[in-house]
Amino acid sequence: NYPVVQAKDNDYYLTRGADGKKSTAGALFFDCRNNVAAPDANLIVYGHRMKDDSMFGTIPDYAERRYYEQHPIMYLLTEAQCYRVEIFACRTVRSDMKYFETSFESEAKYRSYLAKAMSQSYWATDITIDAIDTAITLVTCSTYAHADDPRLLVHGRLVPVE
């Protein structure tokens, strides 16, 4: 239950709260490349993994199938639309930009991205997602310490709620 904000770059809200004031916790924020009103293929939301489980503190729990089974649905409310978020994958990746695409050159590249997310997931689900669907990817620091600066990604499918 947090506001999700957006800035002209992906650094501003790392150290500022949603109100714009300095904060070590930062804020949850959309990738600066995203168009939230007319969603891109993949909306990306970044947030800090806080030790007190605030912000994205519980996101790493999605690496366990049991947690996913207890929390398979989230909700995203924007000014334009309310969405049910159906979680379909959780994986750890390097902080390489290829994992943080918001739009894709073709449907085939988007399908490939989605298929890779599902094949690299810690668990499988029966949710199907295709190039006509909009995805959302929640990103936080991984619980693994490594030189690649890994990130934990939780992927969901946006389903408009009327």
Side-chain angles (χ1 to χ4, degrees):
N1 293 325
Y2 290 96
V4 182
V5 291
Q6 188 175 36
K8 293 179 181 175
D9 63 54
N10 287 337
D11 293 323
Y12 184 81
Y13 283 110
L14 285 172
T15 57
R16 295 179 189 279
D19 59 4
K21 294 179 182 173
K22 288 280 188 183
S23 168
T24 55
L28 300 183
F29 61 94
F30 286 106
D31 190 290
C32 64
R33 300 167 294 163
N34 277 134
N35 180 349
V36 179
D40 301 297
N42 187 27
L43 292 178
I44 299 175
V45 179
Y46 301 98
H48 290 302
R49 177 178 54 87
M50 305 302 289
K51 290 179 182 177
D52 66 358
D53 286 346
S54 62
M55 306 291 281
F56 275 0
T58 59
I59 293 296
D61 295 341
Y62 274 99
E64 300 295 328
R65 180 168 188 81
R66 183 173 169 188
Y67 187 83
Y68 158 73
E69 289 171 349
Q70 294 171 348
H71 306 90
I73 304 292
M74 294 182 191
Y75 290 90
L76 173 68
L77 296 93
T78 71
E79 291 178 359
Q81 180 72 54
C82 295
Y83 299 96
R84 185 175 69 246
V85 178
E86 298 174 343
I87 306 301
F88 67 86
C90 176
R91 61 186 173 148
T92 300
V93 301
R94 294 185 315 270
S95 60
D96 187 313
M97 283 306 291
K98 73 180 182 180
Y99 297 108
F100 305 97
E101 293 298 321
T102 59
S103 58
F104 299 83
E105 295 174 9
S106 66
E107 284 186 9
K109 293 216 183 229
Y110 184 41
R111 280 191 188 101
S112 175
Y113 177 86
L114 296 171
K116 186 166 252 186
M118 289 185 279
S119 72
Q120 293 177 341
S121 182
Y122 292 114
W123 35 258
T125 181
D126 59 359
I127 292 175
T128 58
I129 183 165
D130 197 23
I132 61 169
D133 295 310
T134 299
I136 187 166
T137 301
L138 310 179
V139 180
T140 195
C141 295
S142 171
T143 56
Y144 302 112
H146 193 272
D148 287 340
D149 201 17
R151 298 289 184 259
L152 185 87
L153 278 54
V154 173
H155 300 279
R157 174 178 69 174
L158 294 183
V159 178
V161 174
E162 299 302 324

